[in-house]
Amino acid sequence: MLFQSCGPQLLIVGPPASGKSTILRQLQLQYEGLPTALRNSFRDDIIFVIIDTMHRLIDLAFELDVEIDPKLYKDESIVVSYKWLPGKDIPFHVAQSIERLWQSKAIRDCYRELDDIGHCPNADYFLSNCIRLAIPKCEISVEDVLSIYVPSERVDSLDLTIGGQLHRFYEIPGNMRWFKQAYHFSDVTAVLFVASLASFNLYHEETERNMLLEAILLFKELESTKYLISASILLFLNQMDLFERKLESYEISDYFLDYEGPNEPLRGAVFIGQLFKQQVVHRHRKAYIHMTTATQTSRLKIQMSSLV
């Protein structure tokens, strides 16, 4: 199938959970806004993250033999026994139990462990806001929408009129089956490749390969294809905030043995950016690199100006 567009056509590609959807939402926010109905459509996804993450944290506490304060046993029982159904709000007493558990040191310690095996990148944000989000018919905010991660299962498109001209953006899901769809677009103006800096210490469950290394290999394959040879490539090294937080506990050099610099975010991000740039094989093409946090609207707005 060949995808065509009457105006500039831009592809947003990258591994799962790298922030592609957030960038697409940021573009929509910047040029036409995020209407209330669209924001509220994410309610079930947000509630699922809150419930699922707390269940996983309680399970992890048991696995790691982390002792939860006996005063919280009742709250633990309430959360574990609660069965959420899509379309339903979180009962207020359940939200209160989640909040009390989330405020405990034991659960916070488990969250740091959970952060290292992969989950919704901003689950801590939603857990910290569970009381507000449990209010019946609570309006989902722009920040809520930009923070939620919903796995892509199809090619999503967005048409925006910018400078009087129609621009069409396509978000390509991160798994390889969908990634190949990037080769079936005609007249592509630019490709925005999004990779998560915070994945530097994570490993793919099936391939057992470093997830950031897998992103570099995907970038190499995309850059070298003849189908996109005329398109500009912009690389967004995303989730800088999570990357910075992880460097408090992990050394870049433990995962990338060639790295000899200090264990600090900017130097580490520059090193990783160079690994991507080394994959550019077409001499006429430049890879424009940005270090970003896709949930931060003001900062990303400036960086996205080069995209459109």
Side-chain angles (χ1 to χ4, degrees), residues 30-159:
Q30 181 175 345
Y31 291 102
E32 66 175 26
L34 295 173
T36 301
L38 175 62
R39 286 186 274 117
N40 287 340
S41 70
F42 288 93
R43 182 185 305 279
D44 277 5
D45 298 305
I46 290 171
I47 292 177
F48 174 79
V49 166
I50 292 172
I51 300 296
D52 180 67
T53 303
M54 186 51 70
H55 281 173
R56 293 176 66 183
L57 288 170
I58 291 171
D59 289 343
L60 191 59
F62 178 78
E63 292 174 15
L64 299 178
D65 199 24
V66 174
E67 185 174 353
I68 294 177
D69 189 331
K71 295 179 182 179
L72 298 174
Y73 285 171
K74 182 178 179 180
D75 292 314
E76 179 184 356
S77 177
I78 288 173
V79 173
V80 169
S81 61
Y82 174 65
K83 306 299 180 183
W84 174 74
L85 295 174
K88 300 293 184 180
D89 292 320
I90 306 176
F92 195 68
H93 74 283
V94 176
Q96 288 179 312
S97 292
I98 291 173
E99 182 185 46
R100 283 190 287 267
L101 286 164
W102 176 238
Q103 291 176 347
S104 70
K105 181 180 183 302
I107 293 297
R108 292 294 181 114
D109 288 344
C110 288
Y111 184 81
R112 283 192 287 272
E113 296 293 329
L114 188 64
D115 188 45
D116 298 328
I117 60 176
H119 68 296
C120 176
N122 300 301
D124 54 340
Y125 165 80
F126 293 110
L127 288 168
S128 297
N129 284 274
C130 67
I131 295 296
R132 170 179 65 85
L133 292 165
I135 297 173
K137 298 183 179 180
C138 163
E139 186 172 300
I140 301 302
S141 70
V142 168
E143 187 174 3
D144 296 336
V145 172
L146 295 178
S147 299
I148 188 64
Y149 166 60
V150 181
S152 300
E153 298 179 354
R154 58 185 173 84
V155 176
D156 285 328
S157 64
L158 174 67
D159 288 346

